[in-house]
Amino acid sequence: MSVEYLRNIVQNGRRIAVLLGRNPAMNSGCEFYKEEFDYDVEEKYGRSSEEIFSSNFYHNRPKEFYEFYREEILKKQGELDAADYFIKRLEDADKLEGVVTRGFFNRCKRAGVTKEIQLYGSIDANRCPRCGKIFDSHYIIDSTGIPKCDVCQIPIHPGVVLKGEMVDNYNMTRAAEIVSRADTLIILGTNMNSPLISMLRYFNGEKVALVNSVPHFADRKADCVCIGDFEEILTKVF
């Protein structure tokens, strides 16, 4: 469908919720989302990224875990992109009900967005298990070996949800509330077949628009579909 139709949907939306997928981040240099990431990790560490990025590996091999977390995730976040700034423009115009994402790289927050729910945690919310003090990604990057709380001197737990851990129910509830209050839903950077689309069941509004860089057969379920370069599309929309 046309960019004009998407522009009309955005202009008429008063409470817009955004479901933000991984494709904008991947296209702007975030290594974690790239297809070759798993292959590169296995070549370098002799283990799969799925094995390393797990609660079991963190607890049993914390030094190796943090080498991976520091070098392959925190240092390879990529740049902000058109999707992040588009969401920021929506918030500045008082149109944004909120953004929900499975990503944990704080991309929207780095662009200045305040209404973001990261279902799988945040690289800037690393926590001391004892006192609860929060440490950002720079603290982890600047540390050596196993990063420890500067108060308790015990290992810090990463701020992201690892394999084998539960997603925070509070964040899930907040995300559902955002979607349920929205009159317009924009699915940005993913397709209608992704796990994030489970949030669609809470949507009671009128229009569902999808913007992505690659097509998918399930996208026809949306009212409006725009496929192409994110910057080219989004800068024309709002």
Side-chain angles (χ1 to χ4, degrees), residues 3-183:
V3 173
E4 288 75 17
Y5 184 34
L6 177 60
R7 184 189 299 119
N8 181 262
I9 289 175
V10 172
Q11 288 178 344
N12 290 331
R14 292 171 293 120
R15 299 182 306 278
I16 300 175
V18 179
L19 300 183
L20 179 61
R22 64 174 59 184
N23 284 344
M26 181 178 67
N27 293 346
S28 62
C30 187
E31 298 289 332
F32 184 73
Y33 295 134
K34 293 185 176 181
E35 290 184 3
E36 60 268 25
F37 180 78
D38 289 336
Y39 174 80
D40 292 343
V41 167
E42 191 129 14
E43 282 283 298
K44 183 174 180 179
Y45 296 91
R47 302 176 185 272
S48 69
S49 60
E50 184 177 7
E51 178 185 358
I52 300 174
F53 206 55
S54 69
S55 177
N56 183 63
F57 196 87
Y58 161 73
H59 286 292
N60 289 291
R61 297 175 179 268
K63 185 175 180 180
E64 293 175 54
F65 170 87
Y66 267 110
E67 178 188 356
F68 168 81
Y69 186 54
R70 187 182 291 114
E71 298 298 324
E72 311 304 328
I73 295 180
L74 300 185
K75 291 185 179 181
K76 299 179 179 179
Q77 301 176 34
E79 302 298 324
L80 300 184
D81 53 52
D84 303 309
Y85 293 119
F86 169 74
I87 295 170
K88 172 60 172 161
R89 292 195 296 274
L90 291 179
E91 184 172 77
D92 288 345
D94 201 26
K95 284 179 170 285
L96 184 68
E97 188 67 31
V99 53
V100 179
T101 181
R102 287 162 57 93
F104 43 70
F105 287 97
N106 273 4
R107 298 178 65 83
C108 287
K109 290 179 181 176
R110 285 160 55 195
V113 176
T114 62
K115 300 177 180 179
E116 181 183 28
I117 304 297
Q118 297 182 115
L119 298 176
Y120 281 72
S122 166
I123 58 170
D124 287 314
N126 308 285
R127 180 185 298 271
C128 172
R130 179 175 295 168
C131 72
K133 184 174 180 178
I134 300 296
F135 298 88
D136 64 18
S137 58
H138 298 292
Y139 185 89
I140 306 299
I141 291 172
D142 292 340
S143 65
T144 57
I146 304 170
K148 296 181 179 180
C149 174
D150 58 2
V151 177
C152 303
Q153 294 301 310
I154 65 171
I156 296 168
H157 189 284
V160 301
V161 177
L162 304 175
K163 181 183 178 182
E165 296 178 339
M166 298 292 291
V167 175
D168 189 332
N169 282 332
Y170 176 63
N171 282 339
M172 291 294 293
T173 300
R174 292 172 65 205
E177 289 173 350
I178 284 172
V179 174
S180 67
R181 291 195 300 263
D183 60 24

Side-chain angles (χ1 to χ4, degrees), residues 149-236:
C149 174
D150 58 2
V151 177
C152 303
Q153 294 301 310
I154 65 171
I156 296 168
H157 189 284
V160 301
V161 177
L162 304 175
K163 181 183 178 182
E165 296 178 339
M166 298 292 291
V167 175
D168 189 332
N169 282 332
Y170 176 63
N171 282 339
M172 291 294 293
T173 300
R174 292 172 65 205
E177 289 173 350
I178 284 172
V179 174
S180 67
R181 291 195 300 263
D183 60 24
T184 304
L185 183 65
I186 298 178
I187 298 164
L188 182 54
T190 191
N191 59 59
M192 293 290 286
N193 199 44
S194 78
L196 192 58
I197 303 304
S198 63
M199 285 284 136
L200 192 61
R201 67 180 182 270
Y202 302 110
F203 181 59
N204 302 307
E206 299 176 1
K207 296 293 184 180
V208 176
L210 183 143
V211 182
N212 201 9
S213 54
V214 291
H216 189 276
F217 70 89
D219 294 345
R220 62 180 181 272
K221 298 175 185 177
D223 298 300
C224 172
V225 178
C226 288
I227 303 297
D229 180 83
F230 291 111
E231 184 170 7
E232 183 178 346
I233 294 171
L234 297 174
T235 53
K236 291 179 180 178

